[in-house]
Amino acid sequence: MTPATRVHETRTPAAVLGSARRIVVKVGSSLLVDRESNRLRADWLAALASDISGLRDKGAEVVIVSSGAIALGRRGLDLPPGVLRLEESQAAAAAGQIELASAYRSALDNHGIRVAQILLTLSETEERRRHLNARATLRTLLDLGVVPVVNENDTVATNEIRFGDNDRLGARVTQMISADCLVLLSDIDGLYSADPRRDPAAEHIGLIERLTPEIEAMAGKVGPKTAYAMGSGGMQTKLIAARIAVGAGAHMIIADGRQSHPLGRLLAGARASVFLAEAAPRTARKHWIAASLSPAGHFVIDEGAVRALRRGMSLLPAGVVEVQGSFERGDAVRVLDRAGQEVGRGLTAYDSEDAGAIMGLKSRDIEDRLGYRGRDEMIHRDDLVVTAADDTGARKDQDG
């Protein structure tokens, strides 16, 4: 047994899912919609809703990333079988989104759980300002106790800007909200060394500690038309999703979702593949802010604000005494003390013009100055890396 196949008891699918506090569950259309009739599998969805209710009862937050709108919509519009033209797919998505949202609302309402629908395109996850807007909406919904149901906005997305599968969309949402677990419910119970439906000698890989070239090559050995690569989200896209998720600090699970209560079965010990995260979500995000972004400007802050940041608090406008540079909302900026020493780096909630207008103000006075109700923080603590100088004077990162 190789290190990749040994599943330590604290890294079993049950342990990973059971310990997660913020979970993204990706549901494929083949699980949600019957292939023959294009009708919703209502009993299966009811069982999934029960599983989600159980996770929430244990203190977890859950976001659903769901396919199925096109499959449901094409039945309602009496579209012919086979491959649809782009405009037909978009029309089917427009009709199916209503049915899909209604189905999730009905299923989760039976457990007293409120639901909200969010439609995303690639640009919402990769353009920084749109990313921040979508992230703020998702986090607000979670704070309100709502289960967001996310789908790709197929009604407006074109082939050039589509994800093309919800595995990657699930990974981007996981990254966006700093979730600590992504579960891909699929038609197979994990990663194999080869296509298990064509090769009886294929070995199940239960624990993937690192995404090595050898691991990634396993998906490449499978032909695109085999069952192992069924649908738009085959094993190759699942490994792409894994790279995004683990790099963002989330464990990822590939599990067989075809049977009733798929999450409950995972918690009870069902076999699956676990991809281990490279770091905790918060640590991964902090490293990205500190090391990967070029600052477009800086804030100078007073002594009280410096002490607040050292205690892990957000940067409020009241503590800012100077704004330098030209930047947009969501850009990276440096935070300096009055002596010019770097105190931190972060993503600003305001562009340079608005930041200059509200510096020194109490948060309650922002609306009067700007004419709109903005964020209370100039930089939220989740978007801030507090830095300090070591004995040599070099910058080093702290979790702020």
Side-chain angles (χ1 to χ4, degrees):
M1 183 177 293
T2 67
T5 59
R6 288 199 300 268
V7 181
H8 192 276
E9 61 180 4
T10 61
R11 290 293 181 260
T12 63
V16 168
L17 181 59
S19 62
R21 297 299 86 194
R22 182 173 287 175
I23 303 163
V24 175
V25 179
K26 177 263 179 179
V27 178
S29 58
S30 64
L31 304 179
L32 189 63
V33 181
D34 182 81
R35 284 178 180 266
E36 298 297 324
S37 65
N38 279 335
R39 292 185 181 275
L40 183 77
R41 297 178 64 202
D43 290 344
W44 183 91
L45 181 57
L48 177 67
S50 176
D51 289 348
I52 290 171
S53 178
L55 290 172
R56 283 166 51 90
D57 287 344
K58 295 178 181 178
E61 298 173 324
V62 181
V63 175
I64 301 168
V65 174
S66 181
S67 303
I70 293 176
L72 291 172
R74 72 183 297 162
R75 179 182 60 82
L77 298 178
D78 295 323
L79 291 171
V83 179
L84 298 176
R85 299 192 307 272
L86 175 61
E87 59 269 24
E88 290 177 327
S89 294
Q90 291 173 327
Q97 291 292 358
I98 298 173
E99 188 172 349
L100 185 67
S102 177
Y104 275 106
R105 179 178 180 179
S106 177
L108 289 165
D109 187 60
N110 290 330
H111 301 274
I113 299 172
R114 294 172 296 173
V115 176
Q117 184 185 43
I118 296 182
L119 301 178
L120 295 177
T121 61
L122 186 62
S123 61
E124 269 85 43
T125 67
E126 295 195 344
E127 293 179 15
R128 194 175 303 152
R129 285 180 291 281
R130 292 186 178 187
H131 172 103
L132 289 174
N133 286 333
R135 182 168 68 111
T137 300
L138 283 164
R139 287 186 169 181
T140 299
L141 289 169
L142 291 173
D143 289 343
L144 293 171
V146 175
V147 170
V149 178
V150 180
N151 197 0
E152 183 171 6
N153 193 356
D154 293 304
T155 60
V156 299
T158 64
N159 286 334
E160 289 76 21
I161 63 172
R162 292 185 73 242
F163 281 98
D165 65 86
N166 275 348
D167 295 330
R168 284 182 290 178
L169 177 57
R172 289 298 188 192
V173 170
T174 299
Q175 181 184 52
M176 182 181 289
I177 65 171
S178 298
D180 43 14
C181 183
L182 167 63
V183 181
L184 301 183
L185 294 179
S186 181
D187 59 355
I188 196 165
D189 61 355
L191 177 67
Y192 284 78
S193 58
D195 184 349
R197 300 166 195 182
R198 301 180 63 178
D199 184 353
E203 296 183 6
H204 183 266
I205 312 297
L207 181 67
I208 297 88
E209 298 180 88
R210 288 189 305 111
L211 277 170
T212 63
E214 179 185 15
I215 291 293
E216 292 181 332
M218 291 177 183
K221 295 176 182 177
V222 184
K225 295 185 179 180
T226 69
Y228 194 50
M230 186 180 298
S232 62
M235 194 55 65
Q236 288 181 335
T237 67
K238 287 174 174 54
L239 292 188
I240 293 171
R243 182 163 294 284
I244 296 169
V246 301
H251 302 307
M252 192 185 91
I253 301 171
I254 300 176
D256 191 339
R258 290 172 294 181
Q259 296 189 43
S260 184
H261 292 284
L263 301 177
R265 287 172 52 79
L266 272 178
L267 291 172
R271 188 167 75 166
S273 291
V274 174
F275 295 75
L276 293 185
E278 297 174 358
R282 190 161 178 265
T283 301
R285 180 170 175 77
K286 298 281 186 176
H287 286 171
W288 172 70
I289 292 171
S292 302
L293 301 176
S294 299
H298 69 259
F299 297 145
V300 178
I301 63 175
D302 61 26
E303 293 76 10
V306 171
R307 290 193 295 270
L309 297 194
R310 299 284 186 221
R311 295 197 302 269
M313 303 183 72
S314 299
L315 176 61
L316 302 179
V320 179
V321 298
E322 184 181 337
V323 175
Q324 290 290 332
S326 177
F327 48 82
E328 298 294 327
R329 176 175 175 265
D331 283 346
V333 296
R334 299 171 70 211
V335 181
L336 311 177
D337 62 19
R338 290 182 186 271
Q341 295 297 311
E342 183 172 311
V343 178
R345 295 186 178 200
L347 307 182
T348 173
Y350 292 92
D351 63 28
S352 51
E353 181 177 355
D354 286 351
I358 64 174
M359 68 178 186
L361 294 183
K362 299 291 186 183
S363 296
R364 63 176 177 267
D365 297 325
I366 292 174
E367 185 173 7
D368 289 340
R369 179 63 59 87
L370 297 181
Y372 68 91
R373 181 75 169 90
R375 304 288 167 80
D376 289 342
E377 309 88 3
M378 196 77 89
I379 303 177
H380 191 279
R381 63 182 181 180
D382 289 345
D383 297 326
L384 179 69
V385 179
V386 177
T387 56
D390 60 22
D391 292 338
T392 66
R395 188 175 62 85
K396 61 181 182 179
D397 301 330
Q398 302 177 13
D399 278 337

